[in-house]
Amino acid sequence: METMYLVGFMGAGKTSISQELAKRLSVPVYDTDKEIVKSSGKSINEIFATDGEAKFREIESEVLQKMPSEEAIVATGGGIVGAERNRLFLREKANVVFLYTELSEIIKRVEGDDSRPLLQKGNLDAAETLYRSRLPLYRETANIEIDTSGKSIPAIVDEIVERMKN
Ligand code: S3P
């Protein structure tokens, strides 16, 4: 199979769904955030605080390009679609899944999680603006869209497997 990339906003379930999908398809799973932490030796919060978001985005694009193109599942960071070069890279791929989740559901899921610098100030207006600006970018980048609302992880994985191309 060609590698499957999962895109979507923070809290859409990319990490847990990627792990379940990888088990189901018996392929390794990668997470761009984890690869960034591994290669820089710093947490995401630290990179944002000491090097800035622009540096984070630079590393994120490099990490994306280095992911295996076959036999893998790749969960991406919610902001990966912000860079045009990442969108162009992903649009060439056969299996890019946008996990659509309503903003109200996302807010519930990420409440109390302080590992995401862009949601840390508890600023819901900023989160909403970011969410709305990214929706069209996820849609133009992905070729499969799955609405995750009210669905269990195994049900979402079933749907993805049904719709994936080889
Ligand atoms: C970000 C999402 C995060 C992480 C970083 C920035 C974003 O990943 O890459 O905090 O800009 O939406 P998750 O989507 O896995 O939370």
Side-chain angles (χ1 to χ4, degrees):
M1 61 170 273
E2 288 193 36
T3 289
M4 173 171 283
Y5 300 82
L6 300 185
V7 302
F9 206 67
M10 293 171 266
K14 300 180 297 280
T15 301
S16 15
I17 294 166
S18 64
Q19 286 165 356
E20 188 67 26
L21 252 174
K23 261 196 237 158
R24 183 83 69 93
L25 299 171
S26 303
V27 294
V29 61
Y30 298 84
D31 187 310
T32 56
D33 283 346
K34 282 192 194 139
E35 297 299 318
I36 293 168
V37 170
K38 234 197 265 173
S39 73
S40 66
K42 295 179 190 169
S43 71
I44 306 279
N45 274 332
E46 271 174 307
I47 303 172
F48 268 72
T50 60
D51 307 309
E53 181 173 351
K55 181 68 189 169
F56 174 82
R57 298 299 173 199
E58 221 177 87
I59 309 172
E60 187 174 49
S61 291
E62 283 163 17
V63 159
L64 177 66
Q65 311 270 341
K66 286 188 194 144
M67 294 289 103
S69 58
E70 298 279 337
E71 306 297 329
I73 306 293
V74 176
T76 64
I80 205 119
V81 296
E84 191 183 18
R85 65 171 160 159
N86 297 343
R87 295 199 299 277
L88 293 174
F89 174 84
L90 290 169
R91 279 167 62 176
E92 298 289 312
K93 305 292 178 188
N95 294 306
V96 181
V97 180
F98 167 36
L99 297 173
Y100 171 79
T101 310
E102 272 176 30
L103 183 62
S104 54
E105 179 65 34
I106 284 179
I107 305 268
K108 268 191 243 156
R109 288 188 200 168
V110 299
E111 234 170 13
D113 177 348
D114 60 6
S115 67
R116 293 179 168 104
L118 295 177
L119 292 181
Q120 241 173 45
K121 292 175 204 107
N123 185 346
L124 293 189
D125 285 349
E128 179 164 7
T129 305
L130 196 58
Y131 178 88
R132 304 225 174 279
S133 68
R134 283 184 182 166
L135 259 186
L137 302 181
Y138 295 128
R139 290 193 161 126
E140 77 172 55
T141 303
N143 47 24
I144 299 171
E145 176 168 340
I146 307 276
D147 185 348
T148 69
S149 318
K151 292 177 191 158
S152 67
I153 291 179
I156 295 167
V157 168
D158 285 346
E159 214 174 312
I160 295 174
V161 170
E162 243 168 61
R163 293 179 57 188
M164 72 184 273
K165 297 184 192 132
N166 288 317

